[in-house]
Amino acid sequence: MPTRYEPAIDLDAVEAIDVHTHVEADACGHHSLDTELMDASASYFKSTDLRTPTVDQIAEHYRARSMAAVVFTVDAATATGHPALSSEEIAEAAARNNDVLLPFGSVDPLQGATAVDRARRLVEDHGVLGIKLHPSLQGFAPDDTAHYPLYEALQELGAVVLFHTGQTGIGAGLPGGRGIRLRLSDPMRIDDVAAAFPELRIIMAHPSVPWADEAIAIATHKANVSIDLSGWLPRYFPPALVRAAGRYLKRKVLFGSDFPLITPDRWRDSFAELGIGDEARRLIMKDNAARLLGLDGGE
């Protein structure tokens, strides 16, 4: 039997919880994307550091900063033809770093019932806290009812679903964007899912540009939907998102970096420029994630 992950995060010892960090390589040197897509993403983010840290290296990075981090990969094997990293191995690695890491799994929605069964195993046998989905990269429409059995299972299991929304650096600048369709990540598609599964905890990843207003409206309207602030340096956030995060959505937005393409240090330095008040800052950086992920004991 695999070692089942159990969190051991000391909330008094960590200053922040980053809910959006990518595992891009495993211990054997296999990568989550092919070289062309990885290079396009690095160019989009203007990242000169192309290292792809393993789960253990990610743990060291966050432990040194007194932070915790949600770690995951994306299983887009059907759409890209590139074999995915193992979510099971990521969960195992997180289990030996459970003082700072929180594992999410990923399944390929295009695999239908197989994806549903795997999601159940990842949650029940491996202890992952949620599932990461990337509609554009995985090539699926999240509001297609064909995928409702997956959401039904995750709602039943009490798992979080983290959906990529908006623009993506993956495929950016390549001919035809390598066939990756941005419209699949329109957050209004997530609104349909949130309405159909009201007990399913959903995180919409990123500021959802060019649909930031739509994402704000959904998070305001749907009690089960939150927004993570990853993938953009905060100085570039749409003004409406900054206002919402600091005021009426301060309990519905979460710190996320998009590590390794954006480091938590770089993100936090930029966030400090926004002038968001102390209460909202504390909620965004740690408390909202602790509550959503069940780390606070229901406080």
Side-chain angles (χ1 to χ4, degrees):
M1 287 292 292
T3 300
R4 191 179 191 279
Y5 173 85
E6 296 289 346
I9 309 292
D10 181 351
L11 290 179
D12 292 329
V14 297
E15 298 176 3
I17 300 173
D18 185 341
V19 302
H20 201 110
T21 73
H22 288 268
V23 180
E24 301 286 10
D26 62 19
C28 297
H30 301 131
H31 293 105
S32 61
L33 297 170
D34 62 58
T35 301
E36 183 181 48
L37 289 178
M38 288 182 64
D39 288 348
S41 186
S43 176
Y44 174 82
F45 281 98
K46 298 181 173 60
S47 176
T48 58
D49 186 352
L50 300 180
R51 290 178 298 171
T52 49
T54 63
V55 178
D56 290 315
Q57 291 168 334
I58 294 171
E60 292 174 7
H61 187 90
Y62 280 85
R63 192 176 288 119
R65 288 156 177 79
S66 298
M67 292 183 181
V70 172
V71 290
F72 52 76
T73 188
V74 178
D75 185 344
T78 301
T80 67
H82 185 81
L85 300 182
S86 169
S87 288
E88 292 81 0
E89 290 181 7
I90 290 171
E92 287 266 350
R96 61 178 177 262
N97 293 286
N98 65 347
D99 60 316
V100 291
L101 295 186
L102 301 145
F104 276 26
S106 185
V107 297
D108 185 344
L110 297 181
Q111 294 181 356
T114 299
V116 178
D117 291 342
R118 187 172 181 221
R120 286 190 177 277
R121 292 195 303 272
L122 283 168
V123 175
E124 295 177 335
D125 297 344
H126 295 272
V128 306
L129 304 178
I131 295 293
K132 168 62 188 285
L133 300 174
H134 192 311
S136 292
L137 181 61
Q138 293 176 306
F140 80 103
D143 54 345
D144 187 334
T145 57
H147 307 301
Y148 276 24
L150 175 60
Y151 308 140
E152 184 176 6
L154 295 173
Q155 179 175 254
E156 174 192 330
L157 292 164
V160 177
V161 183
L162 174 61
F163 284 101
H164 171 93
T165 63
Q167 168 73 305
T168 180
I170 302 172
L174 298 178
R178 267 283 295 271
I180 293 170
R181 292 172 290 167
L182 299 181
R183 66 179 178 84
L184 294 176
S185 293
D186 182 339
M188 291 308 296
R189 295 179 181 270
I190 310 304
D191 185 64
D192 285 2
V193 178
F197 299 93
E199 302 303 317
L200 180 62
R201 291 173 292 159
I202 295 171
I203 302 173
M204 297 185 296
H206 315 310
S208 301
V209 173
W211 301 291
D213 288 341
E214 286 86 339
I216 292 168
I218 295 164
T220 302
H221 190 255
K222 300 294 190 294
N224 53 324
V225 179
S226 300
I227 297 172
D228 90 31
L229 300 175
S230 66
W232 290 64
L233 288 179
R235 69 171 64 100
Y236 300 121
F237 287 171
L241 179 59
V242 176
R243 289 194 300 272
R247 299 175 185 174
Y248 60 93
L249 284 185
K250 64 185 178 184
R251 299 183 186 277
K252 301 289 293 291
V253 293
L254 312 162
F255 161 46
S257 64
D258 223 0
F259 182 84
L261 290 168
I262 297 177
T263 67
D265 297 338
R266 188 178 171 212
W267 190 98
R268 188 163 55 173
D269 288 347
S270 183
F271 186 65
E273 301 171 6
L274 298 185
I276 287 178
D278 290 343
E279 180 191 17
R281 183 182 302 272
R282 183 178 65 253
L283 290 167
I284 292 166
M285 295 302 297
K286 182 173 75 171
D287 293 355
N288 290 341
R291 183 183 69 256
L292 184 66
L293 298 173
L295 305 177
D296 61 359
E299 296 177 7

